Amino acid sequence: MKNNRNHLLKISTTAAMMALTCVLTLAVRIPSPTKGYLNLGDCAVLFGGWLLGPVYGPIAGGMGSALADLFAGYPVYVPGTLIIKAVMALLVALVPHHFRGNEGSRPGVGFVVSAVIAEAFMAAGYWLYEALVIGEGFAAAFAGVSGNVVQGIAGAAGAYFLTGVLSHTGIRKAYRL
């Protein structure tokens, strides 16, 4: 019975994180000169990966971000966003395990390293997606990298703050991560 309750908790939290990712992506949209927009969705993507782990985190981050692109009128980005954001959450879920030591469930070096890797992946992923899939070419698509880097820094900082605050509540113990 306890295992079913834990599974239900993860599923419902995944749905809530998916919605939060979508809302944060849509609620704070700063138009970028490179056709896209800067947003706070990465904060929820990274936090979701940290909280929910390598199975549920990528589902929440990928689907929430892809839905936001669909609702915002960027359907061409939906497949790329789904994959890129899911991989970001996966990286944040997996990389910190290599750095576990005295930090326990609090975000520390592992979280910072994984957030940097995830955000670098995001900037490179959108550059390649725009160049190869959308067909803009490498030089034209490179114009969006700086905006993605700024978004990545803001998202990583916000997620680090959020994980730091919530780690004191024992929230990770509820998920047995």
Side-chain angles (χ1 to χ4, degrees):
M1 182 65 121
K2 190 173 187 176
N3 197 18
N4 287 340
R5 190 171 58 221
N6 191 33
H7 186 68
L8 182 60
L9 177 65
K10 282 188 178 184
I11 289 173
S12 59
T13 306
T14 300
M17 285 304 303
M18 189 183 310
L20 180 64
T21 302
C22 185
V23 167
L24 281 178
T25 303
L26 293 172
V28 180
R29 290 192 304 174
I30 302 167
S32 169
T34 59
K35 297 184 302 285
Y37 58 94
L38 303 176
N39 63 76
L40 295 178
D42 283 6
C43 182
V45 170
L46 298 177
F47 177 74
W50 177 79
L51 177 66
L52 296 169
V55 174
Y56 296 96
I59 293 169
M63 292 295 293
S65 298
L67 285 171
D69 276 352
L70 186 63
F71 296 153
Y74 295 93
V76 70
Y77 282 93
V78 169
T81 293
L82 176 67
I83 293 167
I84 291 166
K85 300 297 182 168
V87 171
M88 287 174 61
L90 181 66
L91 288 168
V92 172
L94 294 177
V95 172
H97 294 288
H98 298 290
F99 292 87
R100 291 211 190 240
N102 295 333
E103 63 192 50
S105 64
R106 293 180 323 217
V109 173
F111 183 85
V112 173
V113 169
S114 66
V116 169
I117 292 170
E119 294 297 354
F121 176 82
M122 182 266 296
Y126 278 117
W127 174 56
L128 291 173
Y129 187 79
E130 290 170 356
L132 299 173
V133 177
I134 295 177
E136 293 181 0
F138 289 102
F142 191 73
V145 171
S146 61
N148 285 328
V149 168
V150 170
Q151 176 178 308
I153 292 169
Y160 183 80
F161 175 76
L162 185 60
T163 56
V165 168
L166 291 177
S167 68
H168 296 292
T169 66
I171 191 168
R172 297 248 330 200
K173 289 179 185 173
Y175 295 90
R176 299 186 195 279
L177 297 174

